[in-house]
Amino acid sequence: MNLKEIYNTKQKPVISYEVFPPKDDTDGEKLEALFKELNKLLCYNPSLISVTYGAGGSNRNESVEIIRRIKEELKVTPMPHFTCVSTSTKNISEYLKTIESFDVKNILALRGDIPKDGSVCNDFKHADELVSYIKDNTNLSVAIAGYPEGHKECKSFEQDLIYLKQKADKGADVIFSQMFFNNDHYFSFVEKCEKIGINLPVIPGILPVSSYKQLFKMADMCKVEIPLKLKETLEKHQDDSDYTKKYGIEYASSQCEELLQNKVRGLHFYTLNKSYAVGQILKNIL
Ligand code: FAD
C-alpha cells in the first residue's frame, strides 16, 4: 500500500515503527535479533515499518536487505528512509531503481545531516529537491520530515515552516515528526502547518525513554525540550535502569493517550530495534 492509502483508508490510528540497520553485524546475529523483536510487535497490526538510512549511504545494502525482509517475511509495508546531501544524482537514481524493483511503494525523502567534514555532493542541497526528483522519476509515494520545535539549523521557526511547505508542495503525502516530549509543541506545530496551508497528515514520532544518558544525548542532538517533570524524575532515578524504563513507558503511554484523544491519524514509534517498551505502550493505549 502507498502512504496515501495507508493514512486515508486504514483504520485509525495507523501504527508504524522505525528501525535501523544494526551496526557491526558481520555474522548477521543482530539482524536476526531485530527480526525477532519485530515479530513480537506484529500483533499490534503495524501498517508500516520504516528503515533508517546511514549518513552518506554507509549501510545502504543492509537497509535494502531489511526492507526486502519486512515486505516478504513480515508482510508489512516497508518505508526506506533516504538522504541526499552526500549522494550524486546517479547514485540516487540507482537506489530508487533498486527499491522499486522490490515493489517498494514508499520512501521518506531527507536531506540528511551535513557531514562534519563538510563533504557534501551538491547535486541535491535540500530535501525538497529530492522530493521533486522522486516524483519526476518514480511512482513512489513520498514522506518528509517535520520538526515540531524547529529544525536544529533553522534561523526562525517561521522560516522553517515556509521551507516545510515548499517541501510538502513538491508532492509529499505525509509528514513524520521528529520526537518530542511535550505534546504542546506537536499540537502547535500542526495548527501552524494548517494555517500556512500544509494539508498533510503529521504523524507524531514517539520515543520511549529507556536511559537517562541516551535521552539527554538525543534531545541535545535534535534540540528538543525535555519537560521539567521528565528531567527531574529521570535525574532522581538515573542509577535505577528498571525504574527509568518503567517510567519511560508510562510517560510515552500518556503522551500517546493525549495524542489519540486529539485524533492523530497515526503513531510512529522510534523502536531503537527493541520491542518491549513499544509493546507495553501499545498494550496500554489500544
Ligand atoms: P531539509 O528539509 O532539507 O531541511 C534542512 C534544513 O534546511 C532546515 O533547517 C530547513 O529549514 C532548511 N531548508 C529546507 N529547505 C531549504 C531551502 N530550499 N533553502 C534553504 N534552506 C532550506 N537522518 C539520517 O541520516 N538518516 C535517517 O534515516 C533519518 N531519518 C529521519 C527520520 C525523521 C522522521 C526525522 C524527523 C529525521 C530523520 N533524519 C535522518 C534526520 C535528518 O536527516 C536531519 O534532521 C537533517 O539535518 C535534515 O533533513 P531534512 O530532510 O529535514 O532536511
Side-chain angles (χ1 to χ4, degrees):
M1 273 184 124
N2 71 31
L3 293 164
K4 247 191 195 160
E5 290 162 342
I6 289 173
Y7 287 98
N8 288 329
T9 58
K10 276 260 172 168
Q11 227 182 342
K12 312 288 180 300
V14 172
I15 300 300
S16 59
Y17 309 135
E18 177 190 291
V19 298
F20 56 82
K23 277 192 191 127
D24 306 322
D25 188 28
T26 39
D27 55 6
E29 243 179 69
K30 291 181 185 169
L31 184 63
E32 293 317 311
L34 167 62
F35 275 83
K36 264 193 190 153
E37 294 296 297
L38 282 176
N39 264 298
K40 291 183 202 161
L41 289 173
L42 288 184
C43 56
Y44 302 103
N45 296 320
S47 301
L48 193 71
I49 300 177
S50 83
V51 183
T52 67
Y53 190 80
S58 51
N59 54 17
R60 189 167 169 148
N61 293 341
E62 293 85 341
S63 255
V64 170
E65 173 62 5
I66 294 173
I67 288 152
R68 187 190 64 72
R69 287 185 60 176
I70 288 171
K71 192 171 159 51
E72 288 177 12
E73 288 174 27
L74 305 182
K75 315 270 183 238
V76 178
T77 301
M79 178 176 72
H81 299 199
F82 187 75
T83 66
C84 62
V85 71
S86 304
T87 311
S88 66
T89 310
K90 183 171 171 280
N91 263 322
I92 292 175
S93 161
E94 277 168 14
Y95 179 78
L96 295 173
K97 279 188 192 133
T98 305
I99 60 165
E100 281 207 301
S101 73
F102 294 145
D103 202 24
V104 166
K105 306 278 187 220
N106 311 301
I107 189 164
L108 173 55
L110 298 149
R111 182 198 69 178
D113 281 335
I114 306 287
K116 284 199 182 93
D117 63 3
S119 57
V120 294
C121 172
N122 280 329
D123 280 4
F124 292 80
K125 290 195 178 59
H126 289 284
D128 64 319
E129 295 166 27
L130 179 62
V131 177
S132 291
Y133 183 84
I134 296 170
K135 293 313 293 180
D136 288 348
N137 291 284
T138 74
N139 290 316
L140 294 164
S141 176
V142 179
I144 52 176
Y147 304 84
E149 295 169 67
H151 182 258
K152 59 190 172 188
E153 287 165 27
C154 74
K155 292 190 182 74
S156 78
F157 188 82
E158 285 63 35
Q159 188 58 50
D160 208 35
L161 263 185
I162 292 169
Y163 287 135
L164 179 64
K165 174 152 172 41
Q166 197 170 302
K167 184 162 69 167
D169 287 348
K170 298 276 172 77
D173 290 321
V174 59
I175 297 171
F176 284 89
S177 95
Q178 178 164 265
M179 62 177 174
F180 53 87
F181 300 99
N182 176 349
N183 284 354
D184 289 347
H185 291 306
Y186 171 82
F187 295 134
S188 150
F189 179 61
V190 171
E191 210 178 290
K192 285 178 181 152
C193 283
E194 280 166 8
K195 242 187 209 157
I196 198 175
I198 301 172
N199 298 311
L200 299 179
V202 181
I203 308 306
I206 303 296
L207 175 75
V209 176
S210 60
S211 138
Y212 172 81
K213 270 197 193 144
Q214 171 214 51
L215 169 67
F216 279 79
K217 196 173 146 201
M218 284 176 117
D220 184 53
M221 211 164 70
C222 302
K223 302 269 175 289
V224 301
E225 183 209 348
I226 305 175
L228 194 61
K229 188 173 168 245
L230 177 62
K231 183 173 182 284
E232 284 180 349
T233 310
L234 293 181
E235 241 162 23
K236 202 166 138 195
H237 297 274
Q238 57 180 293
D239 297 324
D240 185 344
S241 68
D242 286 347
Y243 182 89
T244 304
K245 282 179 194 147
K246 195 169 146 264
Y247 186 73
I249 290 167
E250 266 170 40
Y251 192 91
S253 300
S254 55
Q255 250 193 302
C256 291
E257 268 161 9
E258 191 186 23
L259 289 163
L260 292 178
Q261 280 157 17
N262 283 273
K263 313 232 174 315
V264 291
R265 300 254 197 113
L267 295 168
H268 186 60
F269 289 95
Y270 296 116
T271 67
L272 304 182
N273 290 6
K274 298 278 180 227
S275 64
Y276 181 74
V278 174
Q280 292 300 305
I281 296 164
L282 288 169
K283 223 186 246 176
N284 289 341
I285 61 168
L286 292 181

